Amino acid sequence: MNVTRPPSIGNLRGLDAGEAARRLAANGPNMLPGSSPKSLLKIVAGVLVEPMFLMLLVAGGLYLALGDTAEAIFLLTFVFVVIGITLAQERKTQRALESLRDLSAPRALVMRDGEEVRIPGRDVVVGDLLVLHEGDRIAADATLIDGQLDANESLLTGEAVPMTKLPGTGENRLFASTLVTRGIGLAEVTATATATAVGKIGEALAATEEPPSGLQQASRRLVRNLTIGGLTLATLYFLINWLWNAQGLLESLLASIALTMAILPEEIPVILTVFLAIGAWRISQRKVLTRRVPAVEALGAISVLAVDKTGTLTENRMQVAELHLEDATFVHEGADELVETFHEVVEFAMLATPADPFDPMEKAIQKFGLHWLTGTEHVHAEWSPDFEYGLSPDILAMTRVFPIGASSQHMLATKGAPEAVVDLCHLDSARAQGILDQAESMAARGLRVLGVARGRWQGKTPPRSQHDFDFQFLGLLGFVDPPRPDVPAAIAECRAAGIRIIMLTGDHPATAMAIADEVGLSERPDVITGAEIDTLDDQTLRERLRHVDVCARLQPVQKLRLVRLLREDGEVVAMTGDGVNDAPALKAADVGIAMGKRGTDVARESAALVLLDDSFASIVAAIRQGRRIYDNITKATRFVFAVHMPIIALTLIPSLLHWPVILMPVHIVLLELLIDPACSIVFEAEPEAEDIMQRPPRALISSPFAAGNIGIAVIQGIGAAILLLIGYGGMLGLGIDASQSRTTIFIALVLGLFALILANRHPDHSLLAHSALRNRWLRPMFIGIVLVLTLAIGVPYLRDVMGLALPAWTSLGGAAILLVVTFFWLEGLRLALRLFGRSPLSSVSREAP
């Protein structure tokens, strides 16, 4: 057991805002050395080793060797364009990640101008007064000046046993980045940033590099395999041109480079990097901070949402609503006075509560007591406990022991779960059952109930257990915490989306069921308690969980067990938590969600997501965004593979058929400049589908690179390629010269690129059914395509470099016909897929890669 003395916060004002600002400007932010954004040099170096970039350099060099200076200059100019686009995308991603790091930086509760203020940890300065509670991560090196703490300093010492900290002793030093595991206290900051102990030994904890997500790893494997296959095919293509078509060595090499550029899907890594980073930033706009970007992937797969009641489903606005003695009742609402009969139960509830509590229920007790008892002999602000017994899994009650005078006499004040307090009082069965029935009746009305008892003890060495004291039962306190008004609609949305909600709470079963009924959480009348859970083996409990949505009187270790069993049963589990003891369960869940307002630092650091407003509705909004992000990654991936098919075919087939070349490296580079923004801007900004929260959750192992998704894309692209090749062959057969034929096909291909964008935006709807206004980037994309096409054909220099010609009316008519036929092909394929139940989105919803 540990003594906990509340700090005398009211006597200290801390720094004023102006002085704090001056010190911050003079000494710099309180940040440890960490990873910094990529430098310009690193970004450029990254571009230099990209296969597409290397292909550009080689192709430019070959054009120079062939004497085609214009083509060489054109290609090498695009080297700088590629670097510019990469820099813009990298900066956009970096800004999103930096904003997330700013949000996720540790926060500190300090005294400023006599008031408690929560500020970013980086704004803490020397001289600040830190207000520390259990679960807080200490923001800077400090000296404890009041209260008492236990701190886990394993980060510095390697010793897992917490160290007790006492003011005015040699054990009063606190260190940055260590964790308060017990108690409360007030500490004065003595060092910040690199002047702290952890800074001096070079610990870089302020920022970390995100590991690649599962999708990013899968994409790298895919790109690597396609690169190997593409290079193999390009080598064969080079040999065919050189040996079979009798082309020159340099011309054959140039043709094989064009094919390699057509095959490489270098857009895939860009899609994932941009979509996940910007997606995490978008989710933060819904008051949900993504601490680990890979969690964005799992959001759309959540099938079970395990939530705490207090503060998540309810407003966490605790207030004492009722007092119940065994023979009397007091209702707070509308009351003018608290009669003497109830003074004792309130007095001992206050004594059993720290003077500066962190828990909302304890704050409600102090507020209620000071409201009704101030000015009476029942308020003992000057009393300080000699020792106390905290809550434990065995006894859901806490006892504080106060000395009486100079003798060995002590006063005991206890509060806790009614059944625990009744047990401590050693009542006869009839009286105990009467009190528990009363508590059950209160809980059934949605009240959270605590029992209160008093006792006396004489001695110097405290017993090991609260059971060794003699207590007198005083009464029951009923707390009201109304449900958040937006919760019923959010729960209904989850249920429509196939997401099951399970309540995990330490409350009384009747209280939990009353709230569950009020918010529409479950239609099942059953509830399981922590005591019952301990009697069941894993298999029995797993089966029981399939039929129960409310779990009450839980201990943190039981939450961890439930999360593991749900995952073993094939569920994708998201769990909310706020305490130090919730950290293991938060880590064990597929998506751990910590409370941002009332959660401890250790809970936030264990979680993948942090609710900035502690609202259940924000979780549902994040799930909606997660599904949207995954949908858009799927759409963009499908577009990339679809658009590469005609580029590959128009590069490869003419050579095999001894036709004039259609696509050269210059054409492919120009197409890539259109494809990249289509992927990273247009599809990223695509609004969510109307039915996004009416679908069941996708499988966690599903992938945009699944055969179903890529297969549909390949069919789309091959169909478009066949139409273009037929058009090209027909024009050549009619005697139209190669440059006019190439121009016709190039126009149809570039405009067909936009048709593929439309075909993959909303595959369950007609290509033109959705207004362009729903995606603000769609219209600029179309204007950009038309502008690029106009410049390529209208500017003589560019037209000559690309081997194009000013199109005749017949060429424009042919391009229009090909474009219309391509639209019909894509729309017909979409209808056929729907007819056979193969919607592109549903084809990957439960499909593994």
Side-chain angles (χ1 to χ4, degrees):
M1 69 197 69
N2 292 305
V3 183
T4 302
R5 301 186 187 278
S8 306
I9 293 175
N11 300 327
L12 297 164
R13 290 184 54 82
L15 298 175
D16 62 70
E19 177 60 24
R22 283 190 292 274
R23 295 187 184 190
L24 183 63
N27 300 322
N30 177 36
M31 296 176 65
L32 297 176
S35 61
S36 56
K38 284 184 182 178
S39 65
L40 177 65
L41 190 60
K42 282 188 176 180
I43 296 174
V44 173
V47 175
L48 292 175
V49 299
E50 287 292 327
M52 178 63 73
F53 183 87
L54 295 176
M55 293 295 103
L56 281 174
L57 289 179
V58 173
L62 288 175
Y63 273 121
L64 283 175
L66 290 170
D68 294 331
T69 308
E71 287 87 344
I73 292 173
F74 182 80
L75 276 183
L76 296 176
T77 299
F78 274 107
V79 168
F80 299 100
V81 176
V82 170
I83 292 175
I85 290 175
T86 305
L87 284 172
Q89 289 173 333
E90 183 76 26
R91 187 58 194 144
K92 184 179 180 182
T93 302
Q94 195 65 48
R95 278 198 301 267
L97 292 175
E98 285 170 4
S99 67
L100 293 177
R101 288 193 183 111
D102 288 343
L103 284 171
S104 63
R107 301 181 69 80
L109 188 63
V110 300
M111 297 296 299
R112 293 274 176 92
D113 296 314
E115 295 183 359
E116 293 184 22
V117 181
R118 194 167 292 279
I119 63 173
R122 64 176 178 274
D123 292 343
V124 171
V125 298
V126 173
D128 260 327
L129 295 180
L130 298 176
V131 183
L132 299 169
H133 294 89
E134 176 182 317
D136 286 349
R137 184 73 67 178
I138 300 172
D141 283 7
T143 299
L144 186 66
I145 60 176
D146 201 357
Q148 178 177 337
L149 305 172
D150 285 358
N152 184 330
E153 299 178 348
S154 58
L155 175 71
L156 296 170
T157 65
E159 176 57 57
V161 177
M163 301 292 293
T164 299
K165 303 292 181 176
L166 296 168
T169 69
E171 293 298 329
N172 65 348
R173 292 189 63 197
L174 303 173
F175 299 99
S177 298
T178 60
L179 177 70
V180 178
T181 59
R182 183 176 173 83
I184 54 178
L186 191 68
E188 182 177 358
V189 174
T190 57
T192 61
T194 54
T196 62
V198 72
K200 288 176 181 176
I201 61 175
E203 293 287 346
L205 301 177
T208 55
E209 289 292 332
E210 289 289 348
S213 69
L215 281 182
Q216 288 170 330
Q217 291 174 338
S219 75
R220 289 174 185 175
R221 287 194 299 270
L222 177 70
V223 171
R224 183 185 65 240
N225 293 338
L226 288 175
T227 300
I228 294 172
L231 290 174
T232 302
L233 184 59
T235 302
L236 293 174
Y237 185 58
F238 163 74
L239 295 174
I240 289 172
N241 278 322
W242 186 29
L243 301 176
W244 184 43
N245 289 342
Q247 290 184 2
L249 180 65
L250 292 179
E251 291 90 341
S252 300
L253 188 56
L254 198 60
S256 67
I257 287 173
L259 181 61
T260 304
M261 294 170 69
I263 293 174
L264 289 179
E266 72 283 350
E267 302 90 354
I268 296 297
V270 173
I271 290 171
L272 295 181
T273 302
V274 171
F275 278 44
L276 292 178
I278 304 300
W281 178 82
R282 288 186 187 276
I283 289 173
S284 74
Q285 306 307 295
R286 303 300 196 277
K287 302 294 185 184
V288 180
L289 167 64
T290 306
R291 295 194 70 255
R292 286 186 278 279
V293 172
V296 175
E297 294 177 24
L299 277 172
I302 291 170
S303 60
V304 170
L305 192 49
V307 296
D308 189 16
K309 177 182 73 67
T310 304
T312 307
L313 301 178
T314 62
E315 294 183 356
N316 198 27
R317 191 164 45 85
M318 284 286 182
Q319 59 185 26
V320 178
E322 298 178 12
L323 303 177
H324 286 264
L325 309 182
E326 292 181 71
D327 56 357
T329 299
F330 170 82
V331 178
H332 180 64
E333 187 175 359
D336 296 323
E337 64 173 335
L338 182 70
V339 296
E340 182 70 29
T341 310
F342 294 95
H343 284 196
E344 188 178 34
V345 67
V346 178
E347 173 187 4
F348 278 85
M350 292 179 72
L351 285 172
T353 301
D356 177 40
F358 181 64
D359 182 82
M361 289 181 68
E362 293 185 328
K363 287 186 175 183
I365 289 172
Q366 292 289 3
K367 182 178 179 181
F368 181 87
L370 292 174
H371 174 75
W372 290 110
L373 299 184
T374 296
T376 73
E377 72 278 11
H378 298 288
V379 177
H380 309 284
E382 74 282 3
W383 285 22
S384 182
D386 266 359
F387 54 88
E388 66 179 39
Y389 297 83
L391 291 171
S392 70
D394 299 327
I395 305 175
L396 295 176
M398 64 177 296
T399 298
R400 306 180 89 214
V401 183
F402 299 87
I404 302 176
S407 68
S408 58
Q409 291 284 334
H410 292 79
M411 183 74 72
L412 311 175
T414 295
K415 73 175 189 299
E419 61 269 27
V421 175
V422 165
D423 184 48
L424 290 176
C425 293
H426 305 112
L427 303 178
D428 62 73
S429 58
R431 187 180 172 203
Q433 190 57 51
I435 294 170
L436 293 178
D437 288 345
Q438 194 177 41
E440 184 83 23
S441 174
M442 295 170 67
R445 289 184 282 112
L447 296 178
R448 190 167 181 179
V449 187
L450 287 183
V452 180
R454 63 170 294 174
R456 286 182 177 270
W457 170 73
Q458 182 172 353
K460 294 183 179 180
T461 304
R464 294 182 59 84
S465 171
Q466 299 174 72
H467 272 297
D468 297 326
F469 294 116
D470 290 322
F471 290 100
Q472 172 193 350
F473 186 81
L474 296 179
L476 299 170
L477 276 66
F479 300 79
V480 64
D481 183 16
R484 291 178 180 264
D486 53 2
V487 164
I491 286 179
E493 189 174 10
C494 277
R495 295 179 70 177
I499 301 170
R500 179 182 168 203
I501 313 294
I502 297 180
M503 181 191 293
L504 306 182
T505 180
D507 278 358
H508 191 284
T511 305
M513 283 303 300
I515 296 296
D517 290 340
E518 190 171 351
V519 299
L521 183 143
S522 174
E523 297 175 352
R524 311 176 202 248
D526 204 0
V527 60
I528 188 170
T529 64
E532 183 183 353
I533 286 172
D534 285 340
T535 66
L536 303 176
D537 60 53
D538 285 355
Q539 183 56 44
T540 307
L541 179 57
R542 191 181 293 114
E543 180 60 34
R544 185 96 162 83
L545 277 177
R546 294 172 186 161
H547 308 286
V548 175
D549 294 328
V550 178
C551 305
R553 282 288 186 254
L554 291 183
Q555 293 296 314
V557 67
Q558 293 166 334
K559 292 182 182 180
L560 174 59
R561 184 184 176 200
L562 293 177
V563 167
R564 285 177 172 168
L565 289 178
L566 285 167
R567 293 192 66 202
E568 289 173 8
D569 209 27
E571 305 287 0
V572 179
V573 181
M575 179 197 158
T576 67
D578 59 0
V580 176
N581 291 332
D582 287 330
L586 290 173
K587 277 193 171 182
D590 293 287
V591 181
I593 306 171
M595 302 296 107
K597 288 185 176 179
R598 62 188 171 90
T600 59
D601 284 349
V602 70
R604 287 191 287 267
E605 291 179 14
S606 300
L609 303 178
V610 177
L611 291 185
L612 300 179
D613 59 359
D614 290 7
S615 171
F616 178 81
S618 295
I619 302 176
V620 181
I623 292 173
R624 174 185 286 270
Q625 281 295 311
R627 289 188 172 195
R628 170 187 170 275
I629 292 164
Y630 187 86
D631 270 9
N632 288 349
I633 290 175
T634 301
K635 294 171 183 178
T637 301
R638 191 168 55 247
F639 166 76
V640 166
F641 279 90
V643 81
H644 272 266
M645 289 301 108
I647 296 174
I648 293 171
L650 294 178
T651 305
L652 178 64
I653 301 301
S655 179
L656 297 178
L657 297 179
H658 298 280
W659 289 353
V661 172
I662 300 178
L663 294 183
M664 298 177 287
V666 288
H667 300 115
I668 295 171
V669 169
L670 195 64
L671 288 168
E672 289 294 339
L673 292 180
L674 296 174
I675 294 170
D676 279 349
C679 297
S680 59
I681 297 177
V682 177
F683 280 103
E684 193 283 324
E686 189 61 35
E688 65 197 39
E690 295 168 356
D691 66 341
I692 199 163
M693 292 300 279
Q694 278 80 51
R695 307 179 204 147
R698 65 175 176 82
L700 187 60
I701 60 171
S702 65
S703 169
F705 314 123
N709 194 45
I710 293 179
I712 290 169
V714 169
I715 293 171
Q716 282 182 339
I718 288 177
I722 291 172
L723 293 174
L724 293 173
L725 286 170
I726 290 173
Y728 188 60
M731 295 178 74
L732 293 176
L734 292 173
I736 299 174
D737 67 80
S739 60
Q740 279 289 340
S741 300
R742 183 182 299 114
T743 302
T744 301
I745 300 305
F746 188 71
I747 293 172
L749 176 61
V750 172
L751 294 177
L753 182 150
F754 190 74
L756 285 170
I757 293 175
L758 296 178
N760 288 291
R761 285 182 64 222
H762 292 280
D764 290 330
H765 299 276
S766 172
L767 270 67
L768 301 176
H770 283 255
S771 169
L773 295 177
R774 287 202 67 206
N775 187 329
R776 64 191 182 93
W777 287 106
L778 199 60
R779 188 169 294 169
M781 183 70 203
F782 179 73
I783 293 172
I785 287 174
V786 173
L787 181 61
V788 167
L789 197 55
T790 303
L791 290 174
I793 296 174
V795 176
Y797 171 77
L798 296 177
R799 187 170 64 241
D800 292 342
V801 165
M802 291 194 239
L804 303 177
L806 280 173
W809 287 109
T810 53
S811 297
L812 291 175
I817 292 171
L818 288 173
L819 185 61
V820 169
V821 174
T822 300
F823 260 90
F824 276 114
W825 156 247
L826 294 174
E827 183 67 17
L829 176 63
R830 184 190 67 80
L831 292 173
L833 291 172
R834 288 196 66 186
L835 182 64
F836 291 102
R838 289 290 294 176
S839 165
L841 282 181
S842 65
S843 70
V844 295
S845 63
R846 288 279 170 185
E847 191 172 352

